[in-house]
């Protein structure tokens, strides 16, 4: 979840059955940025600014997000994982690295499980292998109205020091959706459960997690590191759920190192 600098409006392309909104900037190693549950394609402005040269950063709108047009029918996180591969096909990419935050990290996990040959690596930021691990806190937020969610987001997402430094930027990244769109996304999130499948993730995996995340408990990050065969956990002491925004400079550096991109 990011706020500055401003992103361009982006374009659309046909990917499978969807008309997908996306932003495609830079050249080099392809890195697909998968936004969280309440964001859209513009959510990675700050992280993108820190990624530097040598990376082709692609962000896109998931179903019921931004300017993507999708059928008004239920879907699963597996379907959203398939959508990632449809996007790669539409862009002419045989494979790509995936970076997902929160809900987007869950999407990335499902993409890696369902299409291992298309996923070069995973960077999982502030995410979880199971909705059940943070169900009480997540349900509390999901049941808030859009206005109440904006008012509550800082305390859940940003450290007190971060609130003083970045102000209301976290709340500004939240996207308003109609009740049907919210219901479909929330239903998909509640079905997320892959703890017993983590050992099947073949992609090299970097896990980035705040130790004080109130929505995706740190224990989930530890579990992912233990069970994903080629995984590394980098912790942000005291970090909450919006580490991808509050600590974008640090995460971008780690991502560059993980992807083997040295010149900036």
């Amino acid at each position: 979840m990011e706020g500055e600098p401003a992103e361009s409006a982006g374009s659309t392309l046909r990917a499978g059955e969807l008309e997908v909104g996306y932003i495609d900037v830079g050249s080099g190693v392809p890195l697909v940025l998968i936004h969280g549950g309440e964001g859209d394609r513009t959510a990675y402005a700050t992280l993108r600014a820190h990624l530097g040269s040598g990376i082709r950063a692609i962000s896109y709108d998931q179903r019921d997000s931004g300017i993507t047009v999708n059928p008004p029918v239920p879907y699963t996180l597996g379907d959203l994982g398939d959508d990632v591969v449809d996007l790669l096909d539409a862009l002419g990419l045989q494979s790509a690295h995936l970076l997902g935050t929160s809900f987007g990290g869950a999407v990335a996990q499902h993409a890696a499980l369902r299409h291992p040959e298309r996923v070069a690596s995973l960077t999982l930021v502030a995410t979880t292998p199971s909705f059940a691990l943070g169900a009480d806190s997540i349900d509390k937020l999901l049941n808030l109205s859009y206005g109440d969610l904006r008012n509550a987001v800082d305390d859940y997402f940003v450290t007190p020091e971060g609130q003083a430094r970045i102000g209301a930027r976290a709340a500004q990244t939240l996207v308003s959706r109609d009740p049907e769109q919210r219901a479909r996304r929330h239903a998909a999130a509640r079905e997320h459960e892959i703890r017993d499948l983590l050992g099947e993730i073949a992609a090299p995996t970097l896990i980035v997690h705040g130790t004080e995340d109130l929505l995706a408990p740190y224990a989930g990050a530890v579990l992912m590191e233990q069970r994903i065969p080629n995984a590394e956990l980098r912790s942000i002491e005291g970090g909450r759920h919006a580490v991808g925004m509050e600590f974008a400079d640090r995460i971008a550096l780690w991502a560059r190192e993980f992807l083997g991109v040295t010149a900036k």
Side-chain angles (χ1 to χ4, degrees):
M1 302 176 63
E2 272 67 55
E4 64 174 19
E7 293 278 47
S8 63
S11 305
T12 62
L13 81 172
R14 190 72 180 179
E17 65 176 355
L18 312 179
E19 192 71 23
V20 176
Y22 74 107
I23 298 170
D24 188 350
V25 177
S27 62
V29 175
L31 177 63
V32 177
L33 307 171
I34 309 177
H35 65 76
E38 304 303 317
D40 67 5
R41 71 193 181 287
T42 66
Y44 285 101
T46 302
L47 182 63
R48 191 194 305 276
H50 288 286
L51 284 173
S53 62
I55 293 177
R56 178 184 176 185
I58 304 158
S59 59
Y60 72 100
D61 290 326
Q62 299 161 25
R63 299 189 188 212
D64 291 323
S65 304
I67 57 175
T68 285
V69 178
N70 56 271
V73 296
Y75 46 82
T76 66
L77 281 168
D79 295 325
L80 297 181
D82 293 343
D83 291 344
V84 175
V85 172
D86 287 338
L87 177 66
L88 297 185
D89 288 341
L91 293 170
L93 292 171
Q94 182 57 40
S95 65
H97 302 271
L98 307 183
L99 185 155
T101 300
S102 189
F103 183 101
V107 173
Q109 293 168 51
H110 284 266
L113 285 168
R114 294 163 74 93
H115 306 279
E117 74 285 356
R118 307 297 298 274
V119 178
S121 75
L122 292 177
T123 300
L124 303 177
V125 181
T127 191
T128 180
S130 171
F131 177 87
L133 294 178
D136 290 344
S137 294
I138 299 172
D139 271 327
K140 181 178 179 180
L141 279 189
L142 294 186
N143 288 327
L144 293 176
S145 68
Y146 173 70
D148 288 342
L149 179 60
R150 283 181 63 98
N151 291 332
V153 72
D154 280 346
D155 288 337
Y156 276 90
F157 283 35
V158 185
T159 67
E161 296 79 11
Q163 291 178 35
R165 180 162 45 86
I166 66 176
R169 200 185 308 162
Q172 292 167 356
T173 65
L174 300 180
V175 175
S176 179
R177 293 177 171 86
D178 67 38
E180 290 77 16
Q181 291 173 323
R182 292 192 76 192
R184 286 192 291 266
R185 288 182 66 76
H186 296 172
R190 290 186 171 97
E191 294 177 359
H192 177 50
E193 176 55 78
I194 65 160
R195 281 176 286 187
D196 291 341
L197 300 176
L198 290 172
E200 299 178 19
I201 293 179
T205 301
L206 173 64
I207 302 161
V208 178
H209 215 94
T211 59
E212 301 299 325
D213 194 319
L214 302 176
L215 299 180
Y218 185 71
V222 173
L223 184 65
M224 289 189 292
E225 183 189 34
Q226 293 172 342
R227 294 190 179 181
I228 297 174
N230 188 9
E232 172 192 1
L233 171 61
R234 293 201 177 187
S235 304
I236 296 179
E237 189 65 34
R240 296 185 181 177
H241 196 57
V243 290
M245 176 185 65
E246 185 176 348
F247 301 96
D249 53 348
R250 189 184 312 181
I251 293 173
L253 176 61
W254 290 345
R256 291 181 63 84
E257 293 173 347
F258 179 60
L259 297 178
V261 181
T262 54
K264 187 171 180 180

